[in-house]
Amino acid sequence: MENAQYSTVRNSPASRASDDAQGWSVATFTPVKTTSLRLVLDPPTAEGVTFGLAVAEWGVHAAESTPDPEPTPDPDPTPDPEPSVGKSRLESAINAAGSVQQANFTPNSWKAFSEAMGNAQKVYADESATQDQVDAAIKQLEEAQQTLVKKADTTELKTVLDQAQGVSGDLYTEASAKKLAEAVDAASKVLNDENATQADADAAVKQLTEAIAGLELKPAPKPDDDKTDPKPNAKPGNKPVSKSEVSAAISSTGSNVIGIAVVGMIVLLTGAAIMLTRRNRD
């Protein structure tokens, strides 16, 4: 026991301590706070003889202690200064996104990009924005820019569609004409879709090309064995008259009529001359 002072009383091992001696060996030591005590006894020895050692009673007296004063709390430490928020990467992302042209991209993908751009500009202008907010704005803007979808180049689609629309379906079989009509309808929808991708346009061109190549002509009608049919009122055995023969007959008839008229006029003039000659003689 550290810094302890002992006052030892020797007593007979066979009897208890007398009233006068009290029988106590007193130890005084520096006060400590404890919840348990342990007693260790070392038997005395003399001239090679070990004497017996025993404890009949062990008393411990605890003194009332003055409660320790409440510890004085340490003054509040000076708070660490807030780390500065870096916005240089956000500024670079905004500048890079500002060069993107809206006319080159589909409306749907541009909508998400425009919203991300607006949020990034708002965070950049906010003096109270945290670093987490800045980093989130950068991530949103970069992802929206990477997912922009380019509008389709429909030049080839327009050319092939014009060719397909100029095909007359009446000349081809019903099945092949139907496939072409379906391809024309699908291509027209892609052409009018502002959000159509290049893959959509290429697929429409392929469908049109295959439909045109797959057109099948209708089979030609079989020729009739007898091209000239007799008139219902024609008598049996009469030979059908062709148009050329009719024209020739009409031409011949006209010539005969003219010839008869000329002869008639000559006869009339001759008669008139004879009559005038007879009158002059009389």
Side-chain angles (χ1 to χ4, degrees), residues 74 148 158 179 254 267:
D74 296 333
L148 281 171
K158 291 178 182 178
K179 287 185 179 180
V267 172

Side-chain angles (χ1 to χ4, degrees), residues 201-239:
D202 293 343
V205 170
K206 181 180 178 182
Q207 185 181 4
L208 278 174
T209 305
E210 292 177 350
I212 294 174
L215 285 172
E216 298 178 359
L217 286 170
K218 290 180 179 180
K222 296 181 179 180
D224 296 336
D225 295 335
D226 187 6
K227 295 183 179 180
T228 307
D229 295 331
K231 295 183 179 179
N233 297 330
K235 294 181 181 181
N238 289 347
K239 182 181 179 181

Side-chain angles (χ1 to χ4, degrees), residues 58-212:
W58 184 22
V60 178
H61 302 274
E64 293 183 1
S65 60
T66 303
D68 294 336
E70 292 293 332
T72 303
D74 296 333
D76 293 336
T78 303
D80 296 333
E82 290 291 335
S84 59
V85 177
K87 294 185 178 180
S88 58
R89 286 184 57 235
L90 178 58
E91 182 180 7
S92 298
I94 292 174
N95 292 336
S99 61
V100 178
Q101 299 297 320
Q102 180 178 357
N104 297 331
F105 302 95
T106 61
N108 286 349
S109 63
W110 184 263
K111 180 180 179 182
F113 173 76
S114 178
E115 291 175 354
M117 183 67 162
N119 179 64
Q121 292 172 334
K122 180 179 179 181
V123 172
Y124 183 78
D126 185 3
E127 295 182 357
S128 62
T130 64
Q131 190 64 53
D132 289 341
Q133 291 174 323
V134 171
D135 294 341
I138 295 172
K139 181 180 179 182
Q140 181 187 11
L141 182 57
E142 290 178 344
E143 289 180 351
Q145 186 171 353
Q146 292 171 359
T147 55
L148 281 171
V149 179
K150 286 187 176 182
K151 288 184 178 180
D153 182 358
T154 58
T155 304
E156 183 181 6
L157 177 59
K158 291 178 182 178
T159 302
V160 179
L161 181 59
D162 289 342
Q163 294 175 355
Q165 290 175 333
V167 174
S168 176
D170 296 338
L171 301 176
Y172 302 95
T173 60
E174 182 178 355
S176 63
K178 181 180 179 181
K179 287 185 179 180
L180 178 61
E182 291 174 351
V184 168
D185 182 61
S188 298
K189 290 180 179 179
V190 172
L191 194 61
N192 295 323
D193 185 5
E194 293 182 346
N195 292 298
T197 64
Q198 191 61 49
D200 297 333
D202 293 343
V205 170
K206 181 180 178 182
Q207 185 181 4
L208 278 174
T209 305
E210 292 177 350
I212 294 174

Side-chain angles (χ1 to χ4, degrees), residues 244-261:
S244 60
E245 292 174 335
V246 173
S247 299
I250 293 173
S251 177
S252 176
T253 303
S255 299
N256 294 335
V257 171
I258 294 171
I260 293 170

Side-chain angles (χ1 to χ4, degrees), residues 5-72:
Q5 296 178 357
Y6 296 91
S7 174
T8 303
V9 177
R10 292 183 178 276
N11 296 299
S12 171
S15 61
R16 295 180 179 275
S18 63
D19 292 340
D20 295 337
Q22 299 294 323
W24 294 104
S25 294
V26 180
T28 303
F29 54 88
T30 303
V32 295
K33 290 182 179 181
T34 183
T35 57
S36 62
L37 293 173
R38 182 177 65 174
L39 177 64
V40 179
L41 302 176
D42 294 327
T45 59
E47 298 179 358
V49 178
T50 301
F51 296 92
L53 186 63
V55 176
E57 293 183 51
W58 184 22
V60 178
H61 302 274
E64 293 183 1
S65 60
T66 303
D68 294 336
E70 292 293 332
T72 303

